[in-house]
Amino acid sequence: MLIGIDASRANRQQKTGTEWYAYYIIKGLIALDRRNQYILYSDQPFDLEFIELTQQYRNVKLKVLRWPFKRFWTLGRLTLEMLLFPPQVLFVPSHVLPLFSRAKLVNTIHDVGFMAYSQFYKKSDRQYLKWSTNQAVRRADKLIVVSEFTKQELIKYFPASASKAVEVVYHGYDEDLYNPEKIASNEEVLSRYDLKQPYFLYIGRLESKKNIIGLLNGFRQYCQDNRESREKLVLVGKRGQEFAAVANLLNDPILKGRVKELGWTPEADIPALLSLALAFVMPSWYEGFGMPLVQAMALGTPIIAADSGSLPEVATEAGLYFDPTNANELAEKLTEIVNNQDLRYNLSKAGIARAKLFSWQKAAQETLNILEQAND
């Protein structure tokens, strides 16, 4: 069978959640499968890592589909490819389906937050995401979702999906990278970012739907409640839309000097930053999965997370949970982590055990099964 994969997001230079998913699931599929042939499509020349895959595995080919416009590559150029030279199955791991296709279609839907929290999305983005999800529900031969929570949300907001074959495939994590025994020099990483322990760590885009304001308010309350404390809050991620409100809070006298913004950070440095943190904090209003949770658990880093979305499903007993609307409750959880060594140990131990249930090899095998079923 010839399996085509939209690798355009996996081929991005600066990846975030869904792009990392696409990257790892593609690598996992190719490393696992010798029976089928693969062709990877991208709108840009492929990175060296993908070129090396073709040298290592004979059943993989790369195809750059040129497109003269900045937008609508999938709806235009990939659509044309699927009409003229279709594979048997096209897998789209992190984007919209082509407009027309002679190939069988498999699409991963990561979340429907644009329906549940529409206020965090521009009207045009919301309309496009709703349209593209309707297209996936209507046209895909198989749908993959990344958590049971996302499956139920998909059925809730797009009832037609209840009659489709919707399969849950959890994310994995890079077991070589997020391995306590293989982390690069901690001192070197701390020095590079001018960091000192102790600190709490956040990873993700700095935007409203990630509840950054709630995180900063909770940490501000913690600083007020613990005036002799010296813990800092480290923010890893790009600035998102509506950053002005975040900037205002960062200039608050109580927070000034206590919050450090690193911006987008290479993944090679994330394990050291995570492993040295007192806790990883994920305050999101809504997540379809929450990949950094598994990375933190693998390293034994305690987790403080909002009791919302998929977060309790992913972290279960490895997390300490709070109401994302309640800054005081978050401050209390931060205080508990600092003052209770036994709690940190128990969360760390539970996280290491929980992380063993997630792997990209397992995710790739489950995805391969779905791709092969789509061609039956």
Side-chain angles (χ1 to χ4, degrees):
M1 177 173 67
L2 178 59
I3 298 172
I5 304 180
D6 176 357
S8 59
R9 291 331 187 247
N11 194 37
R12 292 288 184 264
Q13 288 295 315
Q14 294 189 0
K15 301 177 186 62
T16 54
T18 58
E19 291 143 357
W20 278 122
Y21 161 82
Y23 172 83
Y24 280 114
I25 205 70
I26 289 170
K27 288 188 68 177
L29 282 167
I30 291 170
L32 172 74
D33 184 16
R34 302 276 72 78
R35 296 194 308 271
N36 300 298
Q37 299 294 312
Y38 287 86
I39 182 166
L40 309 184
Y41 306 106
S42 179
D43 56 337
Q44 301 293 331
F46 281 91
D47 280 351
L48 180 61
E49 283 188 85
F50 285 104
I51 294 171
E52 289 174 346
L53 282 179
T54 65
Q55 296 168 349
Q56 185 176 1
Y57 302 104
R58 294 184 177 181
N59 61 333
V60 183
K61 293 183 179 180
L62 307 179
K63 192 167 188 179
V64 178
L65 303 178
R66 300 291 185 179
W67 183 244
F69 309 107
K70 289 185 177 180
R71 302 185 65 189
F72 304 118
W73 173 81
T74 303
L75 301 181
R77 184 62 183 89
L78 187 59
T79 292
L80 185 62
E81 190 74 11
M82 291 305 103
L83 292 175
L84 298 178
F85 308 106
Q88 288 163 279
V89 174
L90 175 70
F91 175 38
V92 179
S94 62
H95 195 47
V96 62
L97 292 176
L99 203 54
F100 303 101
S101 175
R102 290 168 54 208
K104 297 291 182 70
L105 298 172
V106 178
N107 194 192
T108 299
I109 294 177
H110 295 268
D111 69 69
V112 291
F114 57 91
M115 298 293 291
Y117 285 89
S118 59
Q119 68 270 30
F120 296 142
Y121 294 79
K122 292 191 299 185
K123 184 178 180 180
S124 58
D125 292 343
R126 190 169 67 247
Q127 290 174 336
Y128 181 73
L129 288 166
K130 186 175 181 179
W131 173 82
S132 64
T133 304
N134 267 316
Q135 286 285 302
V137 168
R138 183 172 65 85
R139 297 176 51 229
D141 297 275
K142 291 278 189 177
L143 288 171
I144 296 172
V145 291
V146 296
S147 63
E148 288 289 347
F149 170 77
T150 296
K151 181 176 181 177
Q152 295 309 314
E153 289 285 279
L154 182 64
I155 292 170
K156 175 182 175 181
Y157 290 106
F158 297 88
S161 64
S163 61
K164 304 281 288 191
V166 181
E167 304 286 348
V168 176
V169 177
Y170 284 135
H171 291 182
Y173 69 98
D174 189 322
E175 296 174 33
D176 287 326
L177 193 60
Y178 294 93
N179 183 331
E181 298 178 1
K182 297 183 180 180
I183 293 176
S185 169
N186 292 339
E187 293 301 323
E188 179 187 336
V189 173
L190 287 178
S191 176
R192 188 181 309 146
Y193 294 102
D194 191 24
L195 283 177
K196 292 182 179 179
Q197 293 176 286
Y199 61 84
F200 299 105
L201 183 67
Y202 165 83
I203 302 172
R205 192 176 290 272
L206 308 183
E207 59 188 359
S208 298
K209 65 181 179 180
K210 298 292 188 179
N211 195 21
I212 296 302
I213 297 296
L215 172 61
L216 292 175
N217 280 329
F219 184 65
R220 183 181 186 277
Q221 187 62 50
Y222 168 80
C223 293
Q224 284 186 302
D225 294 343
N226 302 272
R227 295 186 181 276
E228 302 301 317
S229 65
R230 59 190 185 91
E231 291 77 24
K232 291 189 176 184
L233 174 63
V234 177
L235 306 176
V236 172
K238 292 180 180 179
R239 295 180 176 185
Q241 299 172 10
E242 303 171 358
F243 188 77
V246 177
N248 286 338
L249 254 180
L250 291 175
N251 287 322
D252 182 282
I254 295 174
L255 290 180
K256 207 165 182 65
R258 296 291 297 270
V259 180
K260 189 171 182 63
E261 188 184 349
L262 301 188
W264 182 86
T265 303
E267 194 183 20
D269 292 341
I270 298 296
L273 292 172
L274 263 174
S275 65
L276 294 169
L278 269 171
F280 168 65
V281 188
M282 198 161 198
S284 305
W285 294 110
Y286 191 100
E287 291 283 347
F289 184 83
M291 194 182 298
L293 290 177
V294 180
Q295 296 164 347
M297 290 190 295
L299 294 168
T301 302
I303 288 168
I304 302 174
D307 59 357
S308 60
S310 63
L311 305 186
E313 175 187 343
V314 174
T316 61
E317 69 280 0
L320 192 63
Y321 300 99
F322 66 94
D323 178 351
T325 68
N326 192 329
N328 289 328
E329 190 174 337
L330 172 53
E332 290 170 3
K333 301 304 178 186
L334 296 173
T335 302
E336 283 184 54
I337 285 290
V338 172
N339 294 337
N340 192 331
Q341 185 176 354
D342 288 341
L343 174 63
R344 295 198 302 271
Y345 173 79
N346 289 333
L347 289 173
S348 175
K349 185 177 179 181
I352 291 170
R354 176 72 176 159
K356 293 177 181 177
L357 301 178
F358 301 91
S359 78
W360 286 122
Q361 184 178 11
K362 179 183 177 185
Q365 182 62 68
E366 292 173 355
T367 301
L368 177 59
N369 294 343
I370 293 165
L371 296 174
E372 291 180 333
Q373 290 165 13
N375 193 47
D376 288 345

